[in-house]
Amino acid sequence: MKITQFFTKLLDSGVVYAHCDIPCGVYTTHQAGIAAETVEKMVEKITTLPQDDSIETCNSFARLVATKEEWAEICKRELLILWTDYFKEEHLKDFPNLHTTFWMATKLCSKNKREVNADAAKQLREAVNEIAEMFKKAEGDKASTYRKEWL
Amino acid sequence: MKFFPILSFRVVGESMSPRYKNNQRVFVNRLAYLFNKPKIGDVVILRHPFKESTLIVKRIAAGPGTEVHLQWGRLFFNKERVGDVHYKSIFFDEYGESKKKWNVPRHSYFVLGNNPARSSDSRHFGPVHKDHIIGRVL
């Protein structure tokens, strides 16, 4: 054994963390809510576009579809963060349908990316609202001041 | 913890990159602050203020008496802007929700990661008392 290895082993005191997620604990449903509402609004705008082939209409259509898909993806990401990082095993006692709710909500995000479907967009907004209610109950008084404003 | 004046640790995480990368080994002088105070720029090992059993590695960014502001994603020490954007989320910036202010008390220090976008530091847990500092990274 080399002398440096010997000293390294002798002095070894474990690990030090250089993490970004030790307990920053800052979570909110606000972003998912905005994203779901944006998706719904985009679907509404797409379905009320004039039925013609003008350049303006084609341009608007492309932009609205791109925005819808982008925000459906943001919504999915935000929900996945809450599902995997914020909610823990102990929350299952209070919210036995937690996994199903999140699973269905994230599936709705994908559906809204694929389709132009007003019902799916409404269901997504309702699912996000349901998750926001669960989050509010789970956070309770533990929420810091600014997070309460964001709930 | 062993009773040697010099200790060795393995860094886990990316908050101190590029200077200290994930899995890099560092040596720490536990006697560095026996007679001297920590200086700005020192890289230190400290106990996490909310979780004493967890050791973290950070850089001393500001000393006692400094007024620290976090606004528009940027940090200000005594009203002077430091570094780059420290809070990347556009949502926080746009609505000004990340506005925070700390007055670093006596015997306390404001610590930051070298890689602010991927670091949990005094922006989250506030200034840290010197008693939490284990030693200086060599």
Side-chain angles (χ1 to χ4, degrees):
Chain A
M1 187 188 280
K2 284 180 187 170
I3 194 153
T4 49
Q5 282 177 324
F6 170 76
F7 277 112
T8 304
K9 206 162 185 182
L10 180 74
L11 303 173
D12 187 18
S13 301
V15 295
V16 283
Y17 292 95
H19 272 187
C20 61
D21 57 356
I22 293 177
C24 85
V26 180
Y27 297 99
T28 173
T29 51
H30 184 84
Q31 281 152 302
I34 286 183
E37 279 189 35
T38 307
V39 170
E40 199 178 17
K41 196 81 187 168
M42 290 306 114
V43 171
E44 188 193 313
K45 280 180 182 284
I46 291 166
T47 48
T48 54
L49 271 177
Q51 300 291 319
D52 60 49
D53 293 334
S54 68
I55 290 173
E56 286 79 18
T57 309
C58 291
N59 180 52
S60 301
F61 177 74
R63 292 189 65 209
L64 293 169
V65 169
T67 309
K68 173 179 72 72
E69 295 203 8
E70 185 189 343
W71 286 86
E73 186 62 37
I74 291 173
C75 189
K76 189 167 159 182
R77 189 174 168 270
E78 291 298 324
L79 292 178
L80 289 175
I81 289 171
L82 286 168
W83 189 9
T84 54
D85 294 356
Y86 174 74
F87 284 101
K88 310 234 168 2
E89 230 175 299
E90 61 257 32
H91 290 125
L92 283 172
K93 277 185 219 154
D94 297 329
F95 314 110
N97 292 330
L98 186 129
H99 289 319
T100 316
T101 312
F102 270 100
W103 186 44
M104 296 315 287
T106 45
K107 284 216 163 288
L108 274 169
C109 293
S110 305
K111 192 174 182 181
N112 275 287
K113 267 181 84 176
R114 282 197 312 272
E115 301 171 10
V116 180
N117 185 334
D119 286 339
K122 190 173 170 241
Q123 281 170 23
L124 174 62
R125 186 169 48 79
E126 286 168 356
V128 172
N129 284 345
E130 193 183 334
I131 288 167
E133 285 301 318
M134 280 169 20
F135 181 74
K136 264 186 207 175
K137 275 186 199 157
E139 275 283 89
D141 294 332
K142 284 185 291 177
S144 68
T145 319
Y146 91 84
R147 270 188 285 163
K148 269 182 192 156
E149 289 165 16
W150 277 71
L151 281 169
Chain B
M1 196 178 291
K2 293 175 179 173
F3 290 99
F4 297 114
I6 306 283
L7 295 176
S8 159
F9 293 96
R10 188 168 56 85
V11 175
V12 177
E14 296 287 346
S15 84
M16 292 301 280
S17 77
R19 179 66 186 83
Y20 302 100
K21 294 192 173 69
N22 188 29
N23 271 332
Q24 186 172 338
R25 190 156 283 282
V26 291
F27 289 90
V28 178
N29 178 5
R30 294 172 80 186
L31 305 178
Y33 302 125
L34 199 60
F35 302 109
N36 299 313
K37 289 177 183 172
K39 288 196 297 287
I40 289 167
D42 283 359
V43 176
V44 294
I45 304 287
L46 56 147
R47 287 194 188 86
H48 195 286
F50 298 158
K51 203 176 169 192
E52 294 267 325
S53 59
T54 302
L55 298 181
I56 55 178
V57 54
K58 300 288 160 203
R59 191 179 288 279
I60 303 277
T66 311
E67 194 181 84
V68 182
H69 277 94
L70 179 69
Q71 204 172 3
W72 311 304
R74 292 186 167 83
L75 271 178
F76 298 83
F77 292 160
N78 292 330
K79 295 184 180 166
E80 211 166 291
R81 196 183 122 187
V82 284
D84 214 333
V85 175
H86 282 75
Y87 232 128
K88 276 195 134 179
S89 169
I90 53 158
F91 286 95
F92 283 101
D93 289 342
E94 206 172 307
Y95 297 97
E97 291 290 336
S98 65
K99 255 192 224 174
K100 286 183 185 176
K101 187 185 165 188
W102 303 268
N103 284 308
V104 183
R106 276 182 74 195
H107 309 302
S108 293
Y109 295 88
F110 198 87
V111 295
L112 289 175
N114 276 5
N115 183 4
R118 305 202 58 188
S119 173
S120 176
D121 45 45
S122 283
R123 292 169 300 162
H124 309 99
F125 49 69
V128 182
H129 195 273
K130 71 170 181 167
D131 290 350
H132 281 84
I133 298 174
I134 305 278
R136 182 164 61 84
V137 174
L138 297 171

